[in-house]
Amino acid sequence: MAVAIRCAPLIALTPSKLRERSAERWAMALTFACVPSSPSLRSNQTLTPNRDKTLTITSTSSKDSLSLTKQDPGLSLSTALQCQHFEMCSGCAHEWRLDQPHIIKEANNFFSGIGVPDFSFDSGLLWEWRCRAKLAVRGSSNNPLIGLYQEGTHSVADIPFCQAHHPSINAAVNLLKQGIAALSIQPYDEDMGTGELRYVQMAVTTYNTSLPVGERYRNGRVQVALVWNSRSEQSPGVEKLNALSDFLWSNGGCSADFHLIHSVWANFQTSSNNIIFGNRWRHLIGERDFWEHIGGIDISLIPSSFGQANTKAFDSLLQKLQKYIPYGASVVDLYAGAGVIGLSLAVTRKCRTVKCVEVNKESKISFEKSIGRLPKSLDCNISWHHADVSVEPLYWLENADVVVVDPPRKGLHPSLIEALGKLSKLGKKSVRMSGSSDLKGKEEKRPWVLRAREACVEVESETNLDKHQSWPQTLIYISCGWENFKEDCRSLLSNNTWRLEKAHAFNFFPGTQSIEVLAVFKRGGQFKGQTGTKKKKKRMSKITRKAVVNMH
């Protein structure tokens, strides 16, 4: 069945044009309207941007004006969100001082209180940092709304000029809107359960070896994943999905005036709950493989696998992390996803072994493709296991020098915290437990181990590895949930099995109160640099316990 396309002139908005239009609109909003969200403004005051990127407040009841830079040096355009959607969009919580979220002061006090005075914070990009976005599609075919839900509602805020989005995402959203209108695509109606296009995921790849390194980020291309309200590609009405895919490719693909679209995928979802994606995926057009160069390696990501939204900040975190891994170490990467962290360490730190453990089986595909691009000279035993780390976690910790954990926002599972706390009792002894090496030679019957072996991907080292039992001496904790990290940190320090040596934070989500924490723990409950007599050790141990009590 052919789908008729209403001929209408395309408005070609490239990322650079969208950037200019967004800046103009925000400047107009500042000049002619009050900004009540600013703590320094009253209802009778207006805000005017100056050429030197400072701000001036003018009172409507008098001729007096006040320069904000004199009153508050931190409140300036150079670190402001500058987004016209701020008031209605739930994506950002504050629009001033994006380089210094309020939570940083709390984090600094927390780490100072437990003996880590040199806590650092990397502010990174403040705008155009988001390279991965899941957006709801609502409204009508003539006036589609593509954006985030307004706070506390299911009403979608249309955000065509989002300052957090990579400019290519905004340009792709603009093109998608034109396709929806031209093809009479019906956005999803939650109340009725009707409509055709429910959500869209936009993911930007900056991997383009044909461009100089300095130009790759701003010329990123977008992988578009359309969430279609049907069970499969055989359902009635799917021909409109194919027509929309063709529209995006013909106007933004490799033959278009501006190559914006990397590829188009479809996901099929009919559930009435809040889960965005269904289980069925289909590649429609464009490149099938999505690559990104991060942490010193090439990584493949499929639309269903987890990917960091802020790729530049994540790359900075990986470079910092690499400094804490000894050359030739054995590493276990828990909550590994597609194995980005583990593979990065295997290459940059020349690890002896790297074991990645992940509960999402979809990540296996990305891992398999990524290991195909590792250097041929790499001599490392690398494996990926589909398993739940909360089930007998000591099994995964054995024979590792370093354990890296990157859990979801809710933090570490209690069973893993308990296992990490037991390591001081195990020491270097060969103990008999359900997951230890003295039982591995016997016939394995545990179903979770058998399933993990079946789903395992492994690249063997050419060097014979020494068979000796050991336990991690270093724990690297990467956290996106600050409150849960604090609780896990208290638990890890409480029995003197671990001490916290270093802590860094990264601005993964500017405009929000979220930070990404990189914490480095070492075995032993003493503070860094502690040596001397038993009396001194006893005194420092009391200080450690006191610090943990004070944290509560």
Side-chain angles (χ1 to χ4, degrees):
M1 175 181 175
V3 178
I5 300 178
R6 295 198 306 269
C7 294
L10 281 175
I11 303 174
L13 289 179
T14 63
S16 59
K17 289 182 179 179
L18 276 168
R19 189 185 289 113
E20 293 171 4
R21 181 175 292 189
S22 176
E24 291 170 359
R25 291 194 177 192
W26 193 82
M28 290 176 63
L30 277 180
T31 305
F32 299 111
C34 298
V35 187
S37 59
S38 170
S40 301
L41 291 181
R42 300 175 182 174
S43 60
N44 65 336
Q45 294 174 328
T46 57
L47 191 64
T48 305
N50 304 316
R51 290 186 177 181
D52 61 354
K53 291 189 176 182
T54 62
L55 307 175
T56 298
I57 294 177
T58 303
S59 173
T60 57
S61 59
S62 69
K63 294 183 179 180
D64 297 330
S65 63
L66 173 68
S67 172
L68 273 181
T69 51
K70 294 180 180 178
Q71 181 186 15
D72 189 343
L75 204 60
S76 71
L77 279 176
S78 62
T79 57
L81 181 62
Q82 307 181 43
C83 185
Q84 66 193 67
H85 308 304
F86 177 75
E87 291 295 336
M88 62 177 180
C89 176
S90 61
C92 295
H94 61 94
E95 58 181 339
W96 303 103
R97 298 193 184 101
L98 300 190
D99 61 329
Q100 284 295 318
H102 304 313
I103 197 173
I104 289 301
K105 183 177 181 180
E106 178 192 341
N108 188 62
N109 292 337
F110 175 83
F111 289 117
S112 295
I114 53 178
V116 184
D118 53 349
F119 167 71
S120 68
F121 176 66
D122 185 347
S123 61
L125 282 178
L126 302 183
W127 314 275
E128 302 177 351
W129 53 268
R130 179 175 283 280
C131 292
R132 184 173 291 260
K134 297 182 182 73
L135 305 172
V137 182
R138 301 294 185 266
S140 65
S141 58
N142 293 327
N143 184 30
L145 306 176
I146 301 181
L148 303 177
Y149 292 124
Q150 296 181 35
E151 191 70 37
T153 75
H154 269 227
S155 298
V156 170
D158 195 39
I159 52 174
F161 303 105
C162 174
Q163 287 293 86
H165 285 169
H166 188 289
S168 294
I169 290 181
N170 289 341
V173 167
N174 174 68
L175 183 60
L176 177 60
K177 284 185 174 182
Q178 296 181 55
I180 291 172
L183 296 164
S184 297
I185 304 293
Q186 296 301 315
Y188 184 63
D189 186 318
E190 286 189 59
D191 296 329
M192 303 297 294
T194 58
E196 294 157 329
L197 185 56
R198 298 168 63 115
Y199 297 93
V200 61
Q201 176 178 265
M202 303 280 191
V204 177
T205 172
T206 62
Y207 184 89
N208 188 349
T209 55
S210 66
L211 293 176
V213 174
E215 296 181 13
R216 292 177 187 176
Y217 186 82
R218 58 190 175 93
N219 288 287
R221 295 170 184 168
V222 184
Q223 178 195 72
V224 180
L226 304 168
V227 183
W228 203 253
N229 189 32
S230 65
R231 294 184 180 277
S232 71
E233 56 268 35
Q234 280 79 42
S235 300
V238 175
E239 63 273 2
K240 293 179 74 173
L241 168 63
N242 295 323
L244 180 57
S245 172
D246 292 340
F247 179 95
L248 294 172
W249 189 249
S250 61
N251 292 287
C254 57
S255 299
D257 293 337
F258 181 79
H259 190 179
L260 173 67
I261 304 301
H262 169 276
S263 57
V264 183
W265 288 70
N267 177 263
F268 300 96
Q269 172 68 294
T270 58
S271 173
S272 59
N273 56 32
N274 292 327
I275 299 176
I276 294 178
F277 295 127
N279 295 322
R280 294 182 66 88
W281 289 87
R282 178 186 167 197
H283 173 251
L284 299 178
I285 201 166
E287 298 180 51
R288 178 176 288 273
D289 294 331
F290 179 97
W291 291 94
E292 191 58 84
H293 187 80
I294 193 165
I297 59 171
D298 292 344
I299 288 294
S300 172
L301 292 173
I302 60 176
S304 59
S305 60
F306 172 78
Q308 289 287 353
N310 193 333
T311 53
K312 276 190 170 291
F314 186 44
D315 189 59
S316 297
L317 183 148
L318 289 177
Q319 291 181 42
K320 179 74 73 173
L321 164 62
Q322 291 162 5
K323 298 178 181 179
Y324 295 107
I325 308 299
Y327 277 102
S330 290
V331 177
V332 59
D333 180 11
L334 305 182
Y335 307 94
V340 179
I341 296 174
L343 294 178
S344 172
L345 296 178
V347 172
T348 60
R349 308 308 290 175
K350 304 186 186 305
C351 294
R352 185 168 68 254
T353 64
V354 169
K355 188 183 297 182
C356 301
V357 186
E358 169 58 34
V359 71
N360 179 13
K361 63 181 180 181
E362 298 292 334
S363 299
K364 178 183 177 182
I365 301 173
S366 296
F367 184 86
E368 289 177 315
K369 291 181 178 180
S370 298
I371 59 177
R373 287 203 179 182
L374 296 179
K376 301 300 182 184
S377 58
L378 182 65
D379 187 17
C380 175
N381 189 289
I382 303 171
S383 59
W384 184 94
H385 306 264
H386 175 221
D388 186 347
V389 299
S390 66
V391 181
E392 295 200 42
L394 282 172
Y395 178 86
W396 303 109
L397 299 177
E398 186 179 4
N399 297 328
D401 304 314
V402 180
V403 55
V404 179
V405 294
D406 185 10
R409 194 173 299 275
K410 63 183 179 181
L412 300 179
H413 192 275
S415 64
L416 178 55
I417 294 178
E418 181 183 0
L420 291 168
K422 288 180 179 179
L423 298 186
S424 60
K425 299 178 182 178
L426 297 176
K428 295 184 178 180
K429 298 178 180 179
S430 177
V431 295
R432 190 175 180 83
M433 62 180 186
S434 58
S436 65
S437 57
D438 59 345
L439 293 180
K440 288 178 182 175
K442 297 183 178 181
E443 182 181 358
E444 184 59 71
K445 296 181 179 180
R446 289 167 293 174
W448 65 271
V449 175
L450 295 175
R451 285 195 299 269
R453 287 181 178 175
E454 288 175 1
C456 175
V457 179
E458 187 167 8
V459 178
E460 294 186 354
S461 170
E462 295 181 0
T463 304
N464 291 327
L465 301 176
D466 295 332
K467 302 285 186 179
H468 67 281
Q469 188 183 54
S470 61
W471 302 100
Q473 299 297 313
T474 301
L475 166 65
I476 310 289
Y477 192 142
I478 302 169
S479 171
C480 62
W482 171 243
E483 293 299 327
N484 289 309
F485 168 79
K486 289 190 295 183
E487 291 300 316
D488 289 349
C489 183
R490 293 179 181 118
S491 298
L492 290 168
L493 298 177
S494 62
N495 65 357
N496 283 341
T497 300
W498 298 95
R499 67 180 185 274
L500 182 60
E501 285 210 340
K502 292 285 184 180
H504 309 280
F506 298 83
N507 204 8
F508 269 37
F509 305 99
T512 74
Q513 287 304 318
S514 297
I515 55 174
E516 197 86 1
V517 173
L518 172 65
V520 182
F521 295 83
K522 293 288 186 178
R523 284 276 296 278
Q526 298 83 23
F527 285 107
K528 187 176 74 171
Q530 180 184 342
T531 56
T533 63
K534 292 183 178 179
K535 183 176 180 180
K536 183 177 180 180
K537 291 182 179 180
K538 185 177 181 180
R539 177 168 56 85
M540 293 301 290
S541 179
K542 289 180 178 179
I543 295 174
T544 303
R545 287 195 295 271
K546 184 178 179 181
V548 172
V549 171
N550 288 338
M551 285 189 288
H552 289 278

